[in-house]
Amino acid sequence: MNLLDRAEEVRFQFKKDLSKVNIDIQSVEDFRLEYLGKKGYIPALFREFTSLSVEDKRKCGKILNQIKKEAENSIDTLKQRLNSIGIDEDFFDYTLPGKLPRLGHLHPVTQTMNEICSIFREMGFGIEFGPEVETDYYNFQALNFPENHPARDMQDTFFIDDSILLRTHTSPIQIRAMEKQKPPIRILAPGRVYRNEAISARSYCTFHQVEGLYVDENVTFCELKGTLEIFAKRYFGKDVKLRFRPSYFPFTEPSAEVDISCFICGGSGCRVCKHTGWLEILGCGMVDPNVFISVGIDPEKYTGYAFGMGPDRIAMLKYGIDDIRLFFEGDIRFLKQF
Amino acid sequence: MIVNTKWLEKYIDIPYSPEELEEHLTYIGLESKIQKSPVDKIRGVVIAEVLDVLHHPNADRLSICKVSTGFDMQDVVCGAPNVAKGQKVPLALLGTVLPNGMELKPVKIRGISSEGMICAEDELGISSDHSGIMVLDEKAPLGMELSEYLSGEGTSIDIDLTPNRPDCTSPIGVAREISILTQGELKIPEIKFKESEESTKDYIDVEIENIDGCPRYAARVIKNVKIASSPQWLIDHLKGVGIRSINNIVDASNFVLMETGQPLHTFDYRKIEGKKIVVRNAEDGELVETLDGIKRALSKDILLICDAKNPVAIAGVMGLGNSEITPETKDILIESAYFSPTTIRNGSKYLGLSTEASYRFERGVDPEGITNAVNRITDLIIELAGGKVCKGIVDKYPKKISPAVVKIRFKRINRLIGIDIEKSWVKEIFEKLGCKILKSDDKSVQVLSPTWRPDLEREVDYIEEVIRIYGMHKIPSAKRLQIQPSHEVDSRYDLIEKLRSILCSYGYFEVFNNSLVSEKQTQFTFKPVKPVKLRNPLSLDMAYLRTSLIPGLINTARWNINRRNCDLQIFELGFIQYFDPDSETHAMEILKFSLLITGALEDEHWGYQTRKSDVFILKGVIEDLTHRFGIESLKFEKCKNNYFKNLLGSNINGKEFCYLGQINQEYLQSEWSIEVPIYVLDANASVLLDQAKFEIRYKPLPIYPAIERDVSILLPEKIPIEEVKQKIMKEGGELLREVKFYDLYHGKNIDNGLKSVTFNLVFQVADRTLKDKEVDKRMLAIHEVLKNDLNAKLR
Ligand SMILES: [Zn+2]
C-alpha cells in the first residue's frame, strides 16, 4: 500500500506548506498548481490509483478523494482571504456588508389581505371567490339595491352593458355562496373591485375588499360585535377601542360603521384621524331580510351578519402611506419596504 | 349637508356643546363633523364701520376709507369695488397676521398711508371669494374681534347623510332627531300672514296627467310683490349653506327648501298662460331651455310642468328661463309638490343635472309637508316682498301616499340584536319617532309610520331604529362566539397563497397593475380574443379589461427602468377577462400569473458575479414550480408570436398552460421605448391549481455508492440537448440514475457549426455497489451511440 503512504505524505506536506504560503495572488496560484494543477502532487496520486486492483481501489478511493477535497477547500479559503481581507491576515473586516440572495416580497396589500383572512379563518370562515365581471342582479338587485335608488350613487359603477358591470364590492360573492349552500354559512370574500372614480392620491379605479358573512339560526348583533372586536384586537393590538355607529347599507339592516381608536395618536387626535381620534375601518350589519328572500333563505328562521373592509385603506393607515397610486405603480423601491 | 347650531336652536333647545352634539348625532347615525372656521385662530381682525369713502387722488380704482372701530379712527386705502359708506366690515389692524402669513404693517399706497386693511373673504381664509370686501350685518358690534363675532353665529356641523334619510335633509329634520334624545319640543315657525279675499282657485287650475309621477301638486298665488335684493341675514344664511343670493323671492324659496326639506318653485305668474298648470311627460326630443341658460333635449320619461301652452319647468329638477322671477315680476305662483323619487332620479340622471331639489325629491319628501311649506314661504315672502296672498291653496292630491303599517314583535328584536330591550321603552321610542301606535300587546306593537320616514316599511327597519336610538355602543359584544364553519370551502385560496410565496422565494416581487387598459394593450395575447369593453370608461386608456398581465408588467418595468432600477424580477397574479357569449356575465375570467425579468438576477454584492436574465431562467422557474405542485415534467414546444423572439409553450394534460420567451426588441422599443431585453412568462394559474397533486411518496435514500462519470463531446450545433440526453439515458439503462447537463461552449477552439457540451452521469442502483466494469461498459455504449447517431466527437 505504497500509495496510501504517499498520500499521507502529500497531505502532511500540504499542511506544512499551507501555513507558509504568502497571501498574494501569485503565491496562492503557485501553491495551487503545485498540489492540484495537472502536473501537481494530488493528480499524480490519482494517476497511480487507476492502475490498482479493484480491491485496493475501494480502500484508497475514499482517502484520495478526501485529500483532494481538503486541498481544494484550503485553497478556496486562501482565495477568500485574498479577496476579503487583503494582505493582513489578522485584520477581519466585520463591517463588510452581508450577502443575501434576492428574495421577493409579497405586495403590501396581499400581506394585509392574508393577515386579515388568517384571523377570520381561525374563527371558522372559509374563503370564497367570485367573478370580477358581474351581473347587475348579483352586484345590486339581489343585495337590495333597488333600480333607480339613490343608494346606487354610493358606488360609481363601470358598466359593460345595461345588465353587466364590474363588481363594485365583493358582496356578490355572498349572494353566490348563499345560492350554493344552505346555512350555516360562514365565508370570507376577498378580491379586487372597481369604482368609476377619477384616479388621485385618495382613490383608484380598482382596489380590494375583504367581506365576511355568517348566516345561521341564532346570529345576533352582539355576536357581530364580538367577532369584530376579536378581529380588531388581534390585528390592531389588544388596547384598540371600537366604536360602532349606525349607518346605512342597502344589504344590511341594521347597519353600522366601525371606527377604531387611532393607533397613531392613541385617540388624542392627529392628521391621519383628522383630529377625531377615530379611524373608520369597516362597515357591517345584520343581513337584510330582502337579501335572504332573494337567495331563498327563510328570514324568519335564519339571521346573519355581514361586514366588509378595504385592505388597501388598512395598509395605507398601517404603513402611513398617503398615496394609493403607489400600490399600482410597482416601484421596486416601494415594494422592497414591505 | 351642513347645519348650523344657531339655526338648529330656532327649532329645538340644544343642551349640548357643539362637540357633544357632534358625538350624539354620530351615535344615532348622522355622522357629524364640526367645521372648524379658519377665522377662529385670527386675532386682530375687528369689526369696523366705514364712515366715509373718498377717491384716492392718485389712483382711479382705489379709495380712501375712514373707518371707525368704536374706539379709534383710521384711514385705510381700499381697492374693492363694493366698499360703501355705512358698511360694517372686518378690519385687520396693524400687526395682525392673516391666514396666508401676511403681516400688516403701515404702508403708503400711491402716496397715501394706510393703517390697516379691510378684508375680503379669501384673505381671511373663509372662502375663495375675492370679488370684494366682506360685508357684515349692520348690527355687528363695533370693535369686536371677528372670530368672536362669527362664533356667535353658531358652529357649522357637516353631516354625512346616508341615502335612506330624506327626513334629515333639513335642520327641522335634524332638530326632530335631537328632540328624540332630549325629550324637547320641536319649535315649528309660526305662520302669521293673512289671506285676501281673492281666491287662488280663480287664478290657477292644476291638471295632473301622470299621477304616478306626481301624486300631489299644490299651488298658491301672491299678487303685487316687490322684487328686491334680500336682507343681509338671508344672504349670509344662504351663503352658509352654499347658495348664492338672487332676489328676495328666489331666496325665500331656497330658505324654505333648506329649512323644511321641501323643494319649492316660484314662477312669474304673468308668464303662465291660460291660468293653468299641467303636469305631463315630455315628448322624446322635446327641447327646453333651463334657468341656467342651457338648451336640453328631453326624453318621454321626464316629467314637465307646463302652462296651458308651454313647459315652464322640469319637474323637481329645474325651472325654465321663460317663467323665471325677474325684477319686473309682480305676481307670483308658488309650487309645492310630491314627485315620485324614481321619476325625478331618472330625469336627473338623464339630464346629468343634480340640484338641491332633485336631491331631496329622489330620496322622497314628506307628502304631508307640502302645504306647510307653501304657508311657510308665503309668510316669508310677505315679510320680505309684501303683496297680497290669495285665499286657499289649490291642492291636487290624486294619488294618496300612505305610510306603512308595521307590526314589530318584541321577540324578534331580541333575536336580531341579542339582548332584551324593555318593551315600554321601545314603544316610547316609536312614538317619539313620530309613529302612531295602532295596536299593542305583550308580544308586539303595530305602528303607522310617520309620513316623513319613507324608509320605515318593515319590522327590521324598526329594529334598526331601536338599536340606533338605544346606542350601538351600549350593546354588549357576545363573549362566546358560535364557531360554525361553512359546509363548503374553496381550497383554491391556499394554493394561490402557496403559489405566491413560492414565487417570492425565487426572488420575484409581487406587483399590482390596473386591470383597465387601452385597446392596444388588449391585443397582446397568444390567441386572438375579443376584449371586454366598458361603456363608461374613465378614459380611452382605461376602456378595456386586460386580456393579459404582460403589458402591465412591461409598464411596471418601464416605470422602474426610467428610475434607473434596471434589475427586475416581478410577478403579478390576477384575473384577465375576454368576451365569451356563453358565460352568464359574457366574460371569460381566467386566473393568471405572469413573471417578468430583466437585467441581473441578484443584487450586486462584493466578491461574486451576478447572473443575467435569460429565457432559461424562466424555464427553470416554471419547471420547479410545477414540480412543487406535483406535476410531472413539462414538455415545451417552440411557438410563434409577433410580440416575441424565441417563444416556448407548454401544456399540462392537454390544457394550455404557459408561454415564455423574450419580448421582441423592436416592439419594446417602438411601443415602450425600452432598450434592454425583457423576458416574460405567462401562465394559467387555474390549470396549475386544478391539476395540482400533492401526493408525495418518499423514495428511500440510496445506501450503495454512486459512480460519477462525465461525457464531454463536440457535436453539430443544431442537435438539441434534449435529444443527446435521451440517447444517453437510453444507453445508460437501468444503471444510470441521473443525467445532468452542465456545460455548453461555443467559440474559441471550437470549429464553426459545432458546440462543446458536457454531461455529468450518475450511475447507481438500489440493491448493490456498482462495479466499474459495468459502468465502463455502459459508457462505451453511450460513446458509440453519440458518435454514430449524432456525429459527436469525444473530447
Ligand atoms: Zn390620530
Side-chain angles (χ1 to χ4, degrees), chain A residues 96-100 102-107 109-110 114 117 121 123-124 127-129 131-133 138 148-150 152-154 157-162 164 166 176 180-182 184-187 192 194 196-199 204-206 208 214 216-223 225-227 229-230 243-248 253-257 280 286 288-290 299-301 303 327-333 335-336, chain B residues 26-29 31 33 162-164 342 345-346 349 362-363 409 412 414-419 458 460-461 464 467-468 472-473 475-490 492-494 496-497 500 504-505 507-516 532-538 542 545-546 556 559-560 563 565 567-570 572 575 577 584-587 589 600-603 605-608 772:
Chain A
L96 282 167
K99 301 175 180 180
L100 184 76
R102 182 189 286 167
L103 293 174
H105 294 195
L106 287 177
H107 195 282
V109 174
T110 300
N114 289 353
C117 289
R121 292 181 86 197
M123 293 194 261
I127 309 278
E128 287 281 334
F129 296 101
E132 293 175 3
V133 180
Y138 282 107
N148 293 312
H149 191 275
R152 290 200 174 199
D153 292 347
M154 294 164 84
T157 311
F158 284 117
F159 285 96
I160 287 154
D161 59 38
D162 285 342
I164 298 174
L166 299 188
R176 290 179 181 276
K180 205 170 66 181
Q181 55 173 299
K182 287 197 172 61
I185 298 164
R186 203 170 168 92
I187 60 149
R192 190 177 268 218
Y194 298 84
N196 194 342
E197 285 168 10
I199 294 176
Y204 203 79
C205 53
T206 174
H208 302 79
Y214 180 29
D216 204 345
E217 280 184 31
N218 286 304
V219 182
T220 63
F221 193 82
C222 292
E223 175 112 6
K225 276 189 88 169
T227 307
E229 244 162 47
I230 289 176
R243 177 171 86 164
F244 284 72
R245 52 187 168 80
S247 188
Y248 168 75
E253 184 88 1
S255 306
E257 267 180 302
E280 185 180 320
M286 304 304 293
D288 193 287
N290 286 350
E300 280 296 307
K301 187 169 178 203
T303 54
F327 288 145
F328 295 91
E329 276 163 0
D331 194 308
I332 210 81
R333 296 165 300 176
L335 297 170
K336 272 183 183 167
Chain B
T26 300
Y27 274 136
I28 57 168
E31 191 182 351
K33 205 164 282 163
T162 53
N164 60 327
T342 325
R345 184 172 158 82
N346 282 341
K349 283 261 135 158
E362 68 183 45
R363 280 160 173 74
R409 295 162 294 171
R412 195 70 194 166
N414 173 292
R415 180 91 189 276
L416 205 63
I417 301 179
I419 53 165
R458 304 165 301 163
V460 67
D461 300 327
E464 177 173 55
I467 190 171
R468 183 171 80 84
M472 280 181 176
H473 55 295
I475 292 176
S477 314
K479 288 289 169 268
R480 289 184 50 171
L481 302 185
Q482 346 174 23
I483 304 293
Q484 182 64 271
S486 265
H487 291 317
E488 290 172 39
V489 170
D490 193 327
R492 278 185 303 167
Y493 178 78
D494 293 314
I496 290 171
E497 286 327 301
R500 277 197 169 109
C504 275
S505 73
Y508 292 79
F509 281 81
E510 187 186 21
V511 300
F512 286 173
N513 286 300
N514 196 344
S515 340
L516 305 177
V532 177
K533 188 179 182 185
L534 301 183
R535 198 173 63 184
N536 55 338
L538 279 166
M542 294 188 271
L545 282 167
R546 57 184 174 182
T556 302
W559 173 281
N560 282 292
R563 283 157 186 78
N565 288 307
D567 303 327
L568 297 170
Q569 273 177 286
I570 52 176
E572 181 169 11
F575 286 95
Q577 287 90 358
E584 180 187 17
T585 59
H586 295 174
E589 296 202 21
L601 286 171
E602 278 121 22
D603 299 336
H605 283 306
W606 56 283
Y608 62 78
D772 275 317

Side-chain angles (χ1 to χ4, degrees), chain B residues 94 117 218 438 562 596 612 727 745 753 785:
Chain B
L94 295 181
M117 184 170 96
L438 302 175
N562 287 346
L596 177 149
K612 293 265 177 277
K727 297 267 182 209
Y745 182 72
V785 165

